[in-house]
Amino acid sequence: MKYVEFMKKVLPLHDDLFDFFYQALPGYEEVGRRRILLGCWGSFNDPEHCDYTYKNMTAWGRKMFVTPGVVVDGKLVTTDLVDINLNIRILLGSSYYDDWKNAETFVKADPLGNPVDKNHPWNQTTIPRPQKRDFAGKYTWVMSPRWLDKRTGDHLALDTGGGPIARLWATALAGLVDIGYIKSTGHSVKIYLPKTMSKPEVEFEWKIPKWSNAIERDRARTYFQAYAAACALHFAEKAMEELHAGKTKTWSDFKVPEEAIGCGFHEAVRGVLSHHVVIRKGKIANYHPYPPTPWNANPRDIYGTPGPYEDAVQNTPIFEENGPDKFKGIDIMRAVRSFDPCLPCGVHMYLGGGKVLKTQHSPMFGVPR
Amino acid sequence: MGTSTVPYGRSTQKAPAVKEVHILWITAGLGCDGDSVSITAATQPSVEDVVLGAIPGLPKVHLHNPVLAYEVGDDFMKFFYDAEEGRLEPFVLVVEGSIPNENIKREGYWAAMGTNPDTNQPITTNEWIDRLTPKALAVIAIGTCATYGGIHAMEGNPTGCMGLADYLGWDWRSKAGLPIVNVPGCPVQPDNFMETVLYLLYQVAGLAPMIPLDDQLRPTWLFGKTVHEGCDRAGYYEQGDFAEVYGSPKCIVKLGCWGPVVNCNVPKRGWMAGIGGCPNVGGICIGCTMPGFPDKFMPFMDEPPGAHVSSAGISVYGRAIRSLRSITQNTVNKEPKWRHPRAELTTGYHPRSY
Ligand code: SF4
Ligand code: SF4
């Protein structure tokens, strides 16, 4: 409850701060802005519905307390975990690996009989090929995960927006979650926090923003903290019911099968997290995890599509007022960190002796596109 | 009161032998930055305590860690170039992540930090280690990857990676005569690391004798006891009362706990602010601090050898068990032989076999 109270204090404060950015720096909405291409793999399973079988995955996926979904240009394309699963593609293009065209195809069809692509994680074979770094060719160890939009045939470079913005956006549009504490309306998410020690009850509402940009990614973080706190209250109540009913078992027995395939979809803090495994003779024959980092931090793929960081950062306006000599790249940092707070370590600006990058501080950027 | 009055008790305060120390931290081994993240949870002492001068007798500490630094890009890298050129004295080098074998391939890099202005290619982590270790006052390997190789150094890995001591040599000494200091853990227990840093800072300040290390270069006061010796389920073990399923408060040795042969203080110390501690809270110990991790502890969910002997009955307790134990303990305290810096890959890697 201390945390619930803390959220009541901190959420309005953050809201003010982010609004202030827009007021004080007109045009700031362009920082870290990219096309709305968000992926959320769903979070907080409902034990009443989730049996973890692939066969029923579509149904129990939609019962999650954070709805899985792919949002393209503000439209919800799917909430179906099977659909999400089958259309994941791992592409090369700028990464230090050989392709696996001639390697084994581990999984030809999923348990429902749907065909599984050679570039799907179930069939990926990792063949490292260390080589010189060439920014016009191969330049990273990260591969390029994409989601195939069947409507257009595009391999979309989805981002997680740091996690929260994708979770809230998919959940808001889907309109599936209603637990009292949380209500998805189809265009927003209502978050109810009851009375705490020094604060009365409050209802926050996260409304779908106009942009997928640095500020809105950061704003969604604070809302999702409140969202998680509200869910926690619901879960604590359910847990108490279980306890009072004498149901205290926390673990069920399992046996590793001789032959099997498996997959798992969840949200890590920073966004989508999937696991794909192939088991043979009781051992792991193939395994590929896809946490948020490769989705957000990947390079140009074989089709020339840049990954989200590159996409969000290229042509981003610079509001920093330090001259070229003292240039810190704060706006670029802010853009990248809005995808991933774990990445301050990875984001290091190289200015190429101050010649390559120019400081572009101009009120022109206040003009909306 | 006179303004210039010196308090009587000030005589108790000792000035450190060196005024300032830099801590240069490389997270660019093969790893997940998990140790850097872990230590932000330390409280005994905290990072802030050390950096902001909360502890009497310490030199002023300047921390340069890429996860925690304010500086970015050239501003951050500057300290590393300065150190290399002898313009940042004295400094302690912290290495995080497994050290890849860069000699087993023709070009490219497995792990790197910064860009070489002459070639425009990344500067390998190994090159940084070569440049900086001769100049460092002390070198600390943080986490199981940097200390012994860890998960990346499993059988069949493509990078031929290894621990820092495998790379530099186990009898390597710093210019001040210190061996490599290993603080293993996957990730490192936050206070174990910060306490080790504190000890070394005291030593640098001339306020502590040579840090006591065991033959795996671990601080003895942190790694001298087994998990089992600190576990709050040991009473059940002694009574031969073992859990058959998870979710039970009894000893979980039959579910795969390696506690009896693993050097780690986590059950005593907990993870954050005393909370947690693998077997205490129902998680089998998988030996994540050990030189033999992970290979010698796999498959994780099976009952370990030696567990059977002792769980057969409490009457055979005592010396017999303990000597059996030490056979296993010696094995798990040894790294597999494929972790080496020779220009050949002997991990059993088969590119297309999986
Ligand atoms: S749970 Fe593990 S460490 Fe604890 S008493 Fe049992 S064997 Fe020892
Ligand atoms: S108790 Fe075992 S698994 Fe836990 S930190 Fe210590 S060595 Fe690692």
Side-chain angles (χ1 to χ4, degrees):
Chain A
M1 291 316 286
K2 276 189 195 144
Y3 190 75
V4 171
E5 173 142 319
F6 175 65
M7 286 325 301
K8 289 179 188 170
K9 291 180 188 158
V10 95
L11 191 147
L13 200 99
H14 281 167
D15 244 350
D16 276 358
L17 180 70
F18 297 130
D19 291 342
F20 173 73
F21 258 89
Y22 287 142
Q23 281 163 21
L25 296 166
Y28 210 83
E29 67 272 8
E30 292 303 318
V31 170
R33 179 176 168 194
R34 74 184 293 252
R35 195 180 154 196
I36 300 162
L37 292 170
L38 297 167
C40 165
W41 293 173
S43 200
F44 304 156
N45 275 306
D46 187 340
E48 301 285 329
H49 297 275
C50 178
D51 62 4
Y52 280 111
T53 62
Y54 192 86
K55 185 161 61 69
N56 300 328
M57 189 160 80
T58 304
W60 57 256
R62 291 191 176 129
K63 294 288 184 184
M64 283 171 144
F65 297 108
V66 172
T67 312
V70 174
V71 181
V72 178
D73 298 328
K75 299 261 171 339
L76 190 61
V77 178
T78 185
T79 54
D80 181 353
L81 276 180
V82 172
D83 196 19
I84 287 173
N85 176 39
L86 289 171
N87 291 303
I88 296 175
R89 297 288 180 276
I90 307 304
L91 303 184
L92 297 176
S94 311
S95 324
Y96 307 133
Y97 301 91
D98 289 350
D99 69 54
W100 54 91
K101 276 196 205 89
N102 300 319
E104 188 179 351
T105 302
F106 288 89
V107 182
K108 295 200 175 65
D110 75 353
L112 295 168
N114 301 303
V116 176
D117 195 86
K118 186 78 181 178
N119 285 322
H120 186 275
W122 262 327
N123 288 326
Q124 179 186 336
T125 295
T126 308
I127 310 162
R129 181 69 58 207
Q131 54 198 285
K132 282 215 165 63
R133 183 175 70 187
D134 173 6
F135 283 115
K138 308 275 164 48
Y139 56 91
T140 175
W141 281 108
V142 185
M143 292 189 191
S144 301
R146 297 289 181 261
W147 195 76
L148 177 66
D149 188 343
K150 282 181 299 188
R151 306 169 308 170
T152 57
D154 291 344
H155 287 83
L156 301 177
L158 300 183
D159 70 76
T160 76
I165 196 170
R167 291 198 277 272
L168 291 170
W169 212 310
T171 304
L173 285 175
L176 293 173
V177 180
D178 182 2
I179 54 171
Y181 290 104
I182 302 283
K183 165 98 175 127
S184 157
T185 65
H187 53 85
S188 70
V189 174
K190 287 187 175 158
I191 303 163
Y192 173 78
L193 300 176
K195 179 190 162 305
T196 47
M197 196 164 65
S198 70
K199 294 257 170 200
E201 64 172 9
V202 54
E203 186 156 74
F204 294 122
E205 184 170 14
W206 181 84
K207 299 197 185 88
I208 291 175
K210 275 193 256 174
W211 310 285
S212 173
N213 64 8
I215 291 284
E216 295 306 331
R217 284 177 207 116
D218 290 346
R219 190 200 302 271
R221 269 185 210 161
T222 197
Y223 274 87
F224 192 79
Q225 280 178 279
Y227 188 108
C231 284
L233 291 172
H234 175 70
F235 301 152
E237 281 169 14
K238 290 283 168 194
M240 288 299 277
E241 280 173 29
E242 295 285 301
L243 272 177
H244 293 155
K247 295 194 232 158
T248 56
K249 196 157 175 253
T250 54
W251 188 73
S252 48
D253 206 358
F254 69 92
K255 222 175 122 26
V256 178
E258 277 296 290
E259 308 276 318
I261 60 170
C263 60
F265 294 89
H266 290 277
E267 287 281 303
V269 175
R270 298 168 296 130
V272 301
L273 171 59
S274 60
H275 296 268
H276 286 88
V277 70
V278 177
I279 300 173
R280 285 183 184 165
K281 296 194 186 119
K283 289 189 172 166
I284 296 171
N286 200 12
Y287 169 70
H288 294 284
Y290 274 90
T293 306
W295 281 98
N296 293 326
N298 66 74
R300 266 161 214 279
D301 64 24
I302 191 99
Y303 303 110
T305 309
Y309 288 173
E310 285 186 26
D311 186 25
V313 160
Q314 62 192 11
N315 301 324
T316 204
I318 303 293
F319 287 83
E320 178 175 337
E321 292 179 5
N322 294 320
D325 297 344
K326 291 209 176 125
F327 184 70
K328 299 276 184 218
I330 184 79
D331 300 305
I332 291 172
M333 295 297 165
R334 230 174 235 150
V336 175
R337 290 171 195 198
S338 71
F339 288 98
D340 192 338
C342 288
L343 249 280
C345 45
V347 188
H348 287 283
M349 296 267 312
Y350 291 95
L351 295 178
K355 288 181 207 112
V356 180
L357 285 179
K358 289 200 188 91
T359 307
Q360 302 172 316
H361 177 61
S362 149
M364 280 299 287
F365 291 107
V367 180
R369 275 205 266 220
Chain B
M1 272 211 299
T3 45
S4 64
T5 313
V6 172
Y8 172 73
R10 187 180 288 172
S11 60
T12 56
Q13 300 301 298
K14 299 192 181 71
V18 290
K19 279 214 166 58
E20 302 192 21
V21 175
H22 292 264
I23 299 180
L24 287 181
W25 193 315
I26 298 179
T27 56
L30 304 176
C32 65
D33 288 6
D35 300 303
S36 285
V37 174
S38 180
I39 60 109
T40 60
T43 52
Q44 295 172 333
S46 69
V47 183
E48 296 87 336
D49 288 342
V50 170
V51 171
L52 300 177
I55 300 163
L58 288 195
K60 168 108 189 89
V61 174
H62 304 278
L63 177 66
H64 310 286
N65 170 309
V67 181
L68 305 173
Y70 284 112
E71 303 90 350
V72 294
D74 292 342
D75 290 348
F76 175 77
M77 289 304 299
K78 181 175 170 292
F79 299 106
F80 290 80
Y81 291 110
D82 282 354
E84 176 194 349
E85 282 159 25
R87 283 187 272 123
L88 199 81
E89 297 278 337
F91 72 90
V92 172
L93 180 68
V94 179
V95 178
E96 177 173 351
S98 196
I99 317 303
N101 190 334
E102 298 282 0
N103 298 322
I104 56 169
K105 54 180 191 7
R106 283 215 307 278
E107 55 176 10
Y109 60 96
W110 293 119
M113 175 174 85
T115 295
N116 183 328
D118 299 331
T119 62
N120 232 350
Q121 290 296 310
I123 303 168
T124 64
T125 302
N126 298 35
E127 186 168 340
W128 279 116
I129 293 170
D130 298 344
R131 290 181 188 185
L132 295 177
T133 48
K135 308 236 157 66
L137 208 58
V139 174
I140 315 178
I142 180 173
T144 303
C145 293
T147 50
Y148 307 123
I151 290 176
H152 317 270
M154 275 176 75
E155 187 174 9
N157 80 76
T159 67
C161 61
M162 65 201 98
L164 189 62
D166 301 320
Y167 182 74
L168 289 175
W170 281 83
D171 45 14
W172 183 91
R173 291 286 179 280
S174 78
K175 66 177 188 187
L178 273 91
I180 297 168
V181 178
N182 280 340
V183 193
C186 191
V188 78
Q189 202 283 353
D191 294 319
N192 279 356
F193 179 76
M194 288 308 296
E195 207 174 280
T196 305
V197 168
L198 186 64
Y199 189 103
L200 285 172
L201 289 172
Y202 272 131
Q203 187 176 337
V204 167
L207 299 173
M210 179 61 99
I211 186 167
L213 303 175
D214 67 15
D215 58 358
Q216 300 300 321
L217 305 177
R218 300 170 286 210
T220 50
W221 79 94
L222 296 172
F223 292 91
K225 298 280 188 289
T226 64
V227 168
H228 191 57
E229 282 161 339
C231 178
D232 71 7
R233 297 178 181 229
Y236 289 102
Y237 184 96
E238 196 203 14
Q239 293 162 16
D241 196 359
F242 305 113
E244 302 285 342
V245 291
Y246 283 99
S248 152
K250 297 175 183 175
C251 166
I252 49 183
V253 72
K254 279 177 172 261
L255 300 179
C257 184
W258 281 85
V261 292
V262 169
N263 299 76
C264 171
N265 62 356
V266 150
K268 274 274 186 241
R269 189 155 222 181
W271 271 105
M272 281 164 71
I275 297 168
C278 309
N280 291 2
V281 291
I284 54 170
C285 170
I286 57 173
C288 78
T289 55
M290 298 296 275
F293 180 80
D295 300 79
K296 293 188 181 174
F297 298 90
M298 298 200 307
F300 290 137
M301 312 295 267
D302 288 0
E303 189 177 354
H308 195 69
V309 183
S310 41
S311 49
I314 45 164
S315 56
V316 284
Y317 234 75
R319 199 174 296 142
I321 290 294
R322 271 200 285 274
S323 63
L324 270 171
R325 278 289 153 65
S326 75
I327 294 172
T328 327
Q329 198 159 7
N330 286 340
T331 324
V332 292
N333 256 320
K334 278 203 190 72
E335 283 182 46
K337 55 185 178 311
W338 58 78
R339 299 179 188 170
H340 58 71
R342 299 194 304 276
E344 51 172 344
L345 186 61
T346 59
T347 61
Y349 170 64
H350 301 296
R352 281 169 199 260
S353 70
Y354 39 82

